[in-house]
Amino acid sequence: DAFDAISCLTAVNLDGKKSKYWTTATTVDGAINELGLRIAGADYSSSRSASIDRQGMALAIATPKQLVLKVGGHRRQQHTVSAMTVREALTKLHVNFNKDDTVKPGMKHFLSSGDKIVVTKIYKKKQHFSSEQVPFSTIEKQDSTMLAGKSSTIRAGRAGSRDVTYQVVFRNGKLDKRVVLRQRMVRQPVARIVKVGTKQAPAPVAAPATSTNFAGGSSAWDRIAQCESGGNWAIN
């Protein structure tokens, strides 16, 4: 009837903000004109020619936004895209990503102009080594009979060997980390033992002052001889 034709309830989601409107329009195009929701470049979830029945309809509107996008190791790029969330923007910009990649802000984040989206590309693979070398450790033992600063090897060390599988993680094409998934020791390493001296060296003894019979002497008598006899100790 006539009342039904002018009382259609429309639920509108405009960039994540939800509102309800009464409208006399029976099509999406008529509703957005009547409600002042016609926005240049906006993306509408329903065709403008779609009909609005007596139960109303849900209409999502994503307005154009200027975004900065950085994917992996590539340079930043500026885009204008009509998207409501990060996921929608990446889909419209044809950005491929997998479950290991990280996206900031999150996929469900509602966008605003000026937002920056960073997609970090993560690649994982397994590496297996059947005989990876395991370095040996060094054990130091103090020796009070050996001068400090001196050392002596008592037993030479020997590297071990293990069968190991790593998970290697690359971030934007560069090695980020390696994590041991499983390992089996084939040969245990043997620690090197080093004896380290702790004995303090005796303090040096100062040499006593001595007289000399040449002009280069430095004792008090040398200076007297230099003054009285030109440094000649034999003179009377």
Side-chain angles (χ1 to χ4, degrees):
D1 55 17
F3 178 76
D4 290 332
I6 63 172
S7 60
C8 297
L9 179 66
T10 303
V12 177
N13 183 346
L14 178 61
D15 286 336
K17 297 179 180 179
K18 298 180 179 180
S19 303
K20 290 184 178 180
Y21 297 92
W22 289 98
T23 175
T24 59
T26 57
T27 64
V28 171
D29 191 62
I32 60 178
N33 284 331
E34 182 179 314
L35 301 175
L37 297 175
R38 182 176 294 279
I39 304 169
D43 183 41
Y44 299 89
S45 60
S46 297
S47 170
R48 292 185 183 179
S49 60
S51 298
I52 303 176
D53 58 22
R54 288 182 299 177
Q55 286 74 38
M57 72 178 304
L59 180 65
I61 306 173
T63 61
K65 301 170 186 67
Q66 292 184 343
L67 305 174
V68 177
L69 176 65
K70 187 177 188 308
V71 180
H74 300 288
R75 298 178 62 182
R76 299 177 182 178
Q77 293 184 340
Q78 292 187 348
H79 297 274
T80 299
V81 58
S82 297
M84 193 176 298
T85 64
V86 170
R87 183 181 293 277
E88 291 177 8
L90 294 180
T91 300
K92 289 189 174 183
L93 294 172
H94 306 290
V95 177
N96 296 320
F97 52 89
N98 58 45
K99 62 181 180 64
D100 293 323
D101 295 339
T102 60
V103 180
K104 293 184 178 180
M107 292 291 192
K108 296 181 180 180
H109 173 77
F110 286 100
L111 293 168
S112 301
S113 276
D115 279 356
K116 177 182 176 182
I117 303 175
V118 178
V119 180
T120 303
K121 304 297 292 181
I122 305 295
Y123 171 65
K124 299 178 181 179
K125 72 174 184 177
K126 293 181 180 179
Q127 285 184 337
H128 176 256
F129 300 93
S130 58
S131 56
E132 183 186 64
Q133 189 178 82
V134 180
F136 59 82
S137 60
T138 298
I139 300 174
E140 293 186 350
K141 293 189 175 181
Q142 295 184 345
D143 189 335
S144 60
T145 66
M146 181 182 292
L147 290 176
K150 301 293 183 180
S151 63
S152 176
T153 300
I154 301 175
R155 184 181 73 186
R158 187 189 69 186
S161 176
R162 68 176 178 176
D163 184 296
V164 60
T165 301
Y166 291 98
Q167 183 178 69
V168 186
V169 181
F170 294 88
R171 184 180 295 268
N172 291 338
K174 297 181 180 180
L175 178 64
D176 180 49
K177 60 182 177 180
R178 292 201 310 168
V179 180
V180 175
L181 295 178
R182 54 185 176 272
Q183 62 175 327
R184 179 179 62 86
M185 195 65 67
V186 177
R187 185 182 67 225
Q188 292 289 343
V190 177
R192 179 177 62 178
I193 300 177
V194 177
K195 183 170 58 175
V196 178
T198 60
K199 182 180 179 180
Q200 295 299 318
V205 180
T210 58
S211 298
T212 59
N213 58 358
F214 55 87
S218 59
S219 70
W221 288 109
D222 290 324
R223 293 194 293 275
I224 293 174
Q226 181 67 30
C227 177
E228 299 296 331
S229 60
N232 186 357
W233 283 83
I235 198 168
N236 188 345

